[in-house]
Amino acid sequence: MSHSQLVYDTLVKLKAVIANDHILYTSGKHGSEYINKDAIYPHTELISKICEFFANEFEKDQVDVVVAPALGGIVLTQWIAHHLTKRYKKQVLAVYAEKQSSGDFELKRGYGAMVEGKNILVAEDVLNTGGSAKKVVELVKDNLGMVVGLAAIVNRGGVKPDDVGYVPRIYSLVDLGFKMYEPAECPMCKKGIPLSKEYGKGAKA
Ligand SMILES: [Zn+2]
């Protein structure tokens, strides 16, 4: 079984990927699939395995520091750095970028100085438009780090290297192309299936 299939099947089993449902997205559109990334992080064996795949993929890039947007990304950076450290037999660091009220990300706590002149792997759990990943890539570049690539668990928006500030490559384990519909054209609505109250915007706040 391929890495991607293994990860996809596990995500479905954990209900981190919801399929065959009727979801109201934040955009107001409807669709049958949903990603509940909160369901991924409690499962440390899965996270470790995913991050080992990332470490295998980027080992040849001589990564010095792994950077990700908080919160979920913090978990990924720790595990990826752990697996790379074991391979290189020298310490790979893990830091994170925090979202500010302006919507931009910052490397606080002295982390900015840690990326300067270093080879940086950026990690993200789910790429939708790639907006957060792009901001983190640009932040690393502003701090004079060299981005070697972007690792993502799920790429659901067909995000490409150019969309995230020109990274050399994106490695994602699961690529999903969610179909979205205007409510008037939605096949689930036509069948009279009620909107999910468990996932998406239809869920209670
Ligand atoms: Zn619908």
Side-chain angles (χ1 to χ4, degrees), residues 42-201:
H43 300 276
T44 58
E45 285 301 310
L46 171 66
I47 295 290
S48 174
K49 189 45 100 181
I50 285 170
C51 292
E52 208 175 349
F53 295 147
F54 292 156
N56 290 342
E57 175 66 24
F58 289 98
E59 183 178 1
K60 58 184 173 294
D61 293 287
Q62 298 306 319
V63 176
D64 298 304
V65 186
V66 189
V67 183
L71 284 165
I74 299 173
V75 178
L76 297 179
T77 60
Q78 292 283 326
W79 280 103
I80 298 168
H82 169 76
H83 288 297
L84 285 172
T85 295
K86 283 205 289 191
R87 283 167 173 69
Y88 294 156
K89 299 189 170 55
K90 72 165 180 108
Q91 183 155 264
V92 174
L93 302 177
V95 302
Y96 52 88
E98 292 161 83
K99 199 173 198 171
Q100 307 303 297
S101 49
S102 64
D104 286 331
F105 282 85
E106 257 186 62
L107 285 164
K108 305 208 280 198
R109 308 165 199 274
Y111 294 164
M114 289 185 180
V115 307
E116 187 180 337
K118 304 291 186 187
N119 290 336
I120 310 297
L121 174 62
V122 177
E124 173 69 298
D125 41 27
V126 179
L127 291 170
N128 290 303
T129 63
S132 295
K134 180 172 194 253
K135 285 178 180 173
V136 173
V137 165
E138 287 170 348
L139 179 63
V140 167
K141 290 180 177 177
D142 287 347
N143 283 276
L144 308 177
M146 282 91 65
V147 177
V148 300
L150 170 63
I153 304 174
V154 178
N155 186 349
R156 62 162 285 190
V159 174
K160 307 217 163 41
D162 286 3
D163 303 326
V164 290
Y166 305 98
V167 296
R169 71 184 193 279
I170 294 177
Y171 175 70
S172 54
L173 286 165
V174 177
D175 293 310
L176 299 174
F178 284 6
K179 263 200 142 149
M180 294 191 204
Y181 307 93
E182 294 297 342
E185 334 246 89
C186 172
M188 285 76 73
C189 282
K190 282 180 185 150
K191 284 186 205 153
I193 301 167
L195 280 168
S196 171
K197 290 187 168 58
E198 203 174 344
Y199 303 105
K201 222 185 159 201

